[in-house]
Amino acid sequence: MSKESQGSAANDGAYSVSRSRNTVIKSSMTCIDGLPKKLKIYRIAGSKFWQMRYFTDGKYISKSLKSVDLEEAKQTAISIYESLRAEGMGIKDKSDQTHLKALQNQHLLHNLIEEILEAELDKVRRDEIKHGSYVMTKIRLEGLIFDFLKEKPLNKIDILVLEDFIRFLTEKHLSASTMQGYIAQMRKILKLLERKKILNSVPNFPSLKSQPNSRGGFTLTEYKSILRKSKELRQHIFTDWGEGKRAWMRKAYRQMPVEINWIIRFMIYTFLRPGDIRQLKNKHIEIINGKYKYLRLNMPEVKRHKAATVSLAPAVPLFKHILQHQKEKGYGGPEDYIFFPELANRRLVLDIVGWSFNWILKELDLKKGPHGNDRTFYSLRHSSITFRLIYGGNIDLLTLARNARTSVEMVEKFYASTLSAEMNVSLLHSKRA
């Protein structure tokens, strides 16, 4: 096969630069003459092969066509389609009018979802939302929402149907905040149905209250014990994988990495989110030596927050120590990552850190908080902000929120609400001069 015949089909230049491996390359979407329009072939960012997607009988069928050549991929798609027809898929008895109506309803729902997702992709292109938000919308619309609505007449959705939807989500054991996210996507479908005059009006949703469910933080005593244990476990190799379970962590990281202690302290001193750890590079940090000594962090944008933040003073000697360790291993340049710079797979970094931190918590029996809330690596961010509220003097919430790259509402909802009166006993007992 000539290189010219492959060049128009393979996405050599495009597949490695997109934000997500599963992102569909829009310009590649192709229908095949003689086949239903519900069958499309296309390319995705993370593969050189053509893919096939066919919506039939109320479900999606997706397959890799294992070819980089367009014409070859078309022939493979035709063969797959003919095999599906031979199995009876997509062919129903036309006398079964009830089934035909249900199938028409599903095709309409499919088209609505496609239209909403196209609009969401436009928002991504305009940088109104992040690609991760689009992916979450896609998962929810094509998953539970489609499963719920595929048997419901779309022109007869009322408050009773929506109450069933809430029950449907509740049976999936979803949290109230996650259910709110599904409700937001359901509203998009209802508004589109109204705009197309399929639905007379958008019914009101049943009320659903979401209680704050913060990831439990640590007390100062617990934090100190975590630091001690992270050093102690450097002498141990993890072997307790469970009976019949294989060791999935890389052998090099089954002994507590020295970086874990540094990461734990760095999180407390900088208010970072766990996701920041994997993408933080030396070029993102500037050491400030003035009246106050701190790190200025110019991190990549996250959740619409772009402004630089500042660390607490202890982060400065810690960062210098980490940088010296990097240089001894041959790293330390501006483009090198601060933590685990040897790992090109940055997703693996979060796996290693999360797994190691859970190992520490289980050793200390700190996995569950006093109120039963689960503690994770994210709990360090919760602890960092809470420590500032307790020990940071009369710090105002706006300053703290901006430096933690969050909102005052989030600080009040998830952090300030966890403070007890005894935590600020010095303020309560203070007197005016």
Side-chain angles (χ1 to χ4, degrees):
M1 190 179 296
S2 69
K3 188 173 182 179
E4 288 77 9
S5 66
Q6 294 184 24
S8 62
N11 48 338
D12 293 323
Y15 83 99
S16 61
V17 298
S18 178
R19 301 182 187 183
S20 172
R21 286 182 53 83
N22 294 322
T23 300
V24 174
I25 300 174
K26 185 181 176 184
S27 59
S28 71
M29 274 290 187
T30 305
C31 293
I32 301 177
D33 292 340
L35 297 189
K37 291 185 178 180
K38 299 295 181 186
L39 189 152
K40 292 183 175 67
I41 64 173
Y42 57 90
R43 290 173 286 153
I44 60 174
S47 174
K48 296 184 179 184
F49 294 140
W50 284 86
Q51 314 288 318
M52 182 191 101
R53 181 175 177 176
Y54 182 34
F55 178 77
T56 180
D57 292 350
K59 63 182 178 181
Y60 297 92
I61 297 174
S62 299
K63 293 180 179 293
S64 171
L65 299 175
K66 303 295 183 183
S67 175
V68 298
D69 181 70
L70 177 58
E71 294 305 318
E72 186 178 302
K74 284 182 177 180
Q75 293 303 315
T76 303
I78 291 171
S79 297
I80 293 174
Y81 173 73
E82 289 175 348
S83 297
L84 292 174
R85 285 183 61 86
E87 294 171 4
M89 192 165 290
I91 307 172
K92 300 295 177 183
D93 184 356
K94 294 189 180 293
S95 63
D96 188 353
Q97 295 299 318
T98 302
H99 181 81
L100 281 177
K101 289 179 181 179
L103 202 55
Q104 290 166 355
N105 192 74
Q106 290 167 5
H107 283 303
L108 171 59
L109 178 57
H110 165 74
N111 292 337
L112 292 171
I113 291 175
E114 291 286 303
E115 189 170 336
I116 292 171
L117 292 178
E118 184 60 38
E120 294 296 300
L121 268 180
D122 288 338
K123 291 180 183 178
V124 174
R125 298 183 191 106
R126 294 192 297 268
D127 200 29
E128 294 178 14
I129 63 172
K130 291 297 182 183
H131 189 266
S133 298
Y134 162 78
V135 172
M136 183 60 71
T137 298
K138 179 179 174 67
I139 290 171
R140 288 174 172 171
L141 288 174
E142 293 184 350
L144 294 183
I145 292 177
F146 183 87
D147 287 343
F148 176 78
L149 287 179
K150 66 182 181 181
E151 304 295 338
K152 305 282 190 299
L154 298 181
N155 61 339
K156 295 181 180 179
I157 296 178
D158 55 17
I159 190 170
L160 295 178
V161 174
L162 297 182
E163 287 176 350
D164 285 342
F165 180 59
I166 299 298
R167 280 191 289 271
F168 173 77
L169 295 178
T170 302
E171 290 170 358
K172 302 295 180 182
H173 304 292
L174 302 179
S175 67
S177 58
T178 302
M179 290 168 66
Q180 292 282 15
Y182 275 96
I183 289 171
Q185 304 308 327
M186 177 67 88
R187 280 199 179 96
K188 293 177 183 177
I189 289 183
L190 299 183
K191 288 179 181 178
L192 188 55
L193 285 169
E194 183 185 35
R195 193 164 75 239
K196 292 179 176 293
K197 309 215 181 286
I198 297 172
L199 198 62
N200 292 330
S201 62
V202 176
N204 293 324
F205 270 85
S207 60
L208 181 66
K209 293 183 179 180
S210 177
Q211 296 297 326
N213 185 26
S214 60
R215 300 166 177 89
F218 303 102
T219 65
L220 193 57
T221 302
E222 290 172 336
Y223 168 61
K224 290 178 179 179
S225 66
I226 288 170
L227 289 179
R228 287 194 298 269
K229 183 59 70 172
S230 67
K231 290 183 178 180
E232 178 187 321
L233 290 177
R234 290 177 189 169
Q235 312 303 320
H236 300 270
I237 297 175
F238 188 87
T239 57
D240 186 17
W241 301 100
E243 188 176 352
K245 295 183 179 179
R246 68 179 184 86
W248 61 271
M249 179 56 65
R250 287 187 181 184
K251 191 173 183 179
Y253 302 105
R254 293 176 197 168
Q255 187 169 340
M256 185 63 62
V258 65
E259 290 92 342
I260 298 302
N261 179 273
W262 301 338
I263 289 173
I264 293 170
R265 291 157 59 196
F266 200 82
M267 288 279 289
I268 294 295
Y269 300 152
T270 59
F271 313 100
L272 293 181
R273 291 181 172 87
D276 297 327
I277 291 296
R278 67 174 175 176
Q279 59 183 348
L280 198 61
K281 296 183 177 181
N282 292 314
K283 69 177 182 180
H284 296 140
I285 294 184
E286 180 182 357
I287 299 175
I288 306 299
N289 285 310
K291 180 181 178 181
Y292 298 99
K293 291 180 172 57
Y294 58 90
L295 302 179
R296 179 185 291 137
L297 294 90
N298 291 285
M299 295 176 292
E301 179 184 348
V302 58
K303 295 190 175 182
R304 298 293 166 185
H305 296 286
K306 301 179 181 179
T309 64
V310 302
S311 74
L312 302 181
V316 176
L318 174 61
F319 175 64
K320 289 180 178 179
H321 181 71
I322 295 170
L323 196 58
Q324 179 61 35
H325 178 76
Q326 281 191 30
K327 290 178 179 178
E328 291 172 0
K329 295 171 64 177
Y331 299 99
E335 291 296 330
D336 288 327
Y337 292 103
I338 294 176
F339 299 107
F340 299 99
E342 71 276 10
L343 293 176
N345 181 356
R346 303 310 291 174
R347 178 69 196 180
L348 179 59
V349 171
L350 285 186
D351 290 341
I352 293 170
V353 174
W355 175 80
S356 300
F357 193 70
N358 279 334
W359 180 12
I360 295 170
L361 295 186
K362 289 176 181 177
E363 287 281 332
L364 295 170
D365 197 21
L366 292 177
K367 185 62 180 169
K368 292 288 184 181
H371 301 293
N373 46 337
D374 198 31
R375 286 147 152 189
T376 66
F377 182 52
Y378 202 108
S379 300
L380 289 173
R381 172 173 165 84
H382 182 93
S383 302
S384 176
I385 296 174
T386 305
F387 288 167
R388 279 299 88 199
L389 290 170
I390 299 172
Y391 308 112
N394 296 320
I395 187 170
D396 65 278
L397 294 188
L398 179 59
T399 300
L400 179 59
R402 285 185 174 175
N403 196 61
R405 302 178 106 190
T406 187
S407 66
V408 172
E409 290 75 19
M410 288 295 103
V411 172
E412 288 181 329
K413 183 177 181 181
F414 291 109
Y415 303 104
S417 62
T418 65
L419 301 182
S420 68
E422 193 174 4
M423 289 176 176
N424 278 330
V425 66
S426 60
L427 290 177
L428 291 171
H429 286 194
S430 64
K431 296 180 181 180
R432 293 184 184 274

